[in-house]
Amino acid sequence: MEYFTLLHLEKEPFSNSPDPDFFYASAQHMECLQKVELTIRLRQGMSVVLGEVGTGKTTLCRQLIRKLNLDDGLVDTHLILDPAFVSEREFLLTLCATLAMPEPGDDDGERQIKEEIKTHLFERAVEQERIVCLLIDEGQKLPDYCLEGLRELLNYETNNAKLLQIVIFAQEEFRERMAAHANFTDRIATLYTLEPLGFAETKKMIRYRLRQASGSGNFLPDLFSFWGFLAIWWLTRGYPRKIVMLCSKTLISLIIQNGSTVGARLVFACSKRVASAAGGRGVRWIALAGLPVLAAVLAGAWYLSHPRQPRPPMAAVEIVPSPLPPPAPAAPLLPASPPVSVSPPPPIPSRPESAAATAVVPEAPPAAAPQALAPPPAAEEVQIVETAPPVAAIRELGNLRLERGETLSKMIARVYGRFTTASLQLVLDHNPTITNGDNLPTGTIVTFPVESGPQPQPADGRFRIRFAEFPSLDQAYQFLRRIPEAEAAQLRILALLSPAGELGFQVIHEESFGSELLARKRLAQLEQWLADTAVVFQQWAEGTLLLAPQ
């Protein structure tokens, strides 16, 4: 029997192997993942991800492969785990084998092998229109001649794209190597450095891994006490690998001692055994293990003296029923003042060309003929009927202002439910002032067009979870901004057009469920404050889906 089954878990929650199912989407890891993926899909060349040992580079690499492979077969991913080559020829032969090329002949020189690689990349990237991506883990082991070889591979390009996309995951020492090779560094399109996690992210990571390991939803929220969480963060300095190792030791000790909660004392006791097994190397905070109470009190005082901004209660959000009531003639379709009790964000200016799509204008009555000046008989009285604008007239969902730390790819994924090259191009075409979607300044106004025409109501009979409804895209997105990244990554915005011709936006869970019981089990796994006002439903509200659920 595995130890974790005694805790009613189905999997090992704190395994050292880089399982993508246990990838915790912290804010920085998600930002790094999105920037690298955007660089790959735009075929801009090379990305480099740096970080100290244990910051999650390998896990991030596996997650990136997983995301790229979920695409419709557009991306060819190839991985090199140990790039410690002894010669340039060995590097080139390994690259040929990794790219599934025919093995070069024994008499082929390095120049001829490079030409064969170039021909292969041209066939895959240009003739077959695929994205060829090479991922290299442990990049700090790359010899200098390999850096030069990668630089030459990046010279293979068309007028607007690189034939090979390269992603290197390396330790911080690789930064000095890059500084010594300016020609190589100049070809880096995206450079990102991973940092250790803060206390809040450490706590969320531990709880997330326990939730993933529970499988059936038997999550144990009280398995770690507050001081247990704090001690783990204090001793590991927020490095994910050390967090996983220490949590694994504490759970085993908890079972041996027949305990129910991991507290600070147990964490510090386990940290001593970890340090002893490691020979006392590399854990400089273990010196504090003799003063667990003092360390916990000091760290707790620091944390309590720097409180996070409290989340607005869900009850403060006014839920707008759907379908929405028809507006008065010539009134703006989207109300000027949002029905949210918290302070609203700065107003977003409307685009001039979209003004016609944001107002309901009644149709003018037909012109009367000259001979029909006398009033018609009562039985033939002409009635003027206000009609809603056709779906084709709704061309824009709304405008959003880019805030600090946000990326365009994240906004696209939240608005349209996923990020694709097509959705990116659609947004760029609709925003001609945006020339570089990879690096937008804070405060940029982005207009989001309707991605597709009206969609039929899904009659799959599946159950879904809805968290809130809003009359504008900005208000729905502000709702998502108040939710932590790990939970927000599981939500999406759904745009609907009511029979009265009024846009509405629902925030729903990205999953659908075969039964109400499964939906409510998933709802029970979410944060309590988020689940309090959520609704499980089966039939969509009356109206037209502008963005159909995937």
Side-chain angles (χ1 to χ4, degrees), residues 155-166:
N155 289 334
Y156 302 156
E157 58 187 355
T158 63
N159 290 336
N160 53 12
K162 302 287 186 182
L163 299 184
L164 178 64
Q165 315 307 313
I166 302 173

Side-chain angles (χ1 to χ4, degrees), residues 509-529:
H509 200 282
E510 65 179 358
E511 297 181 64
S512 61
F513 307 89
S515 68
E516 183 178 0
L517 178 61
L518 292 175
R520 296 198 177 278
K521 279 188 175 181
R522 185 67 185 91
L523 187 60
Q525 297 174 6
L526 300 175
E527 294 287 347
Q528 186 62 42
W529 70 271

Side-chain angles (χ1 to χ4, degrees), residues 117-264:
I117 294 176
K118 180 179 179 180
T119 302
H120 174 79
L121 293 177
F122 185 85
E123 292 176 354
R124 298 293 289 175
V126 178
E127 296 180 358
Q128 301 180 23
E129 297 183 349
R130 302 179 67 82
I131 299 176
V132 184
C133 182
L134 175 66
L135 299 99
I136 302 176
D137 202 3
E138 301 294 338
Q140 71 279 356
K141 297 182 180 180
L142 284 167
D144 290 346
Y145 47 78
C146 289
L147 298 183
E148 180 61 22
L150 293 176
R151 185 193 67 80
E152 293 179 5
L153 291 176
L154 290 172
N155 289 334
Y156 302 156
E157 58 187 355
T158 63
N159 290 336
N160 53 12
K162 302 287 186 182
L163 299 184
L164 178 64
Q165 315 307 313
I166 302 173
V167 185
I168 300 176
F169 297 85
Q171 297 177 16
E172 276 289 344
E173 61 193 70
F174 190 66
R175 194 184 299 274
E176 299 180 2
R177 301 276 308 285
M178 293 191 302
H181 296 79
N183 290 338
F184 175 83
T185 307
D186 287 343
R187 285 162 173 76
I188 298 177
T190 297
L191 175 63
Y192 199 96
T193 302
L194 296 176
E195 302 291 345
L197 302 178
F199 170 69
E201 293 282 13
T202 298
K203 179 180 177 181
K204 291 177 183 178
M205 172 187 168
I206 296 172
R207 293 172 64 90
Y208 174 79
R209 294 183 74 104
L210 288 172
R211 183 184 298 120
Q212 290 296 101
S214 65
S216 59
N218 298 321
F219 177 46
L220 306 177
D222 299 326
L223 194 58
F224 286 78
S225 69
F226 169 82
W227 297 109
F229 283 124
L230 190 59
I232 290 174
W233 171 71
W234 185 271
L235 292 169
T236 62
R237 292 176 288 162
Y239 285 90
R241 183 180 298 174
K242 293 181 180 179
I243 294 171
V244 169
M245 292 176 59
L246 188 53
C247 285
S248 177
K249 295 294 183 183
T250 56
L251 288 187
I252 295 175
S253 297
L254 183 70
I255 294 175
I256 293 175
Q257 299 179 17
N258 196 26
S260 59
T261 305
V262 175

Side-chain angles (χ1 to χ4, degrees), residues 377-391:
E380 300 179 4
E381 181 179 354
V382 179
Q383 296 181 350
I384 299 177
V385 180
E386 297 180 3
T387 60
V391 175

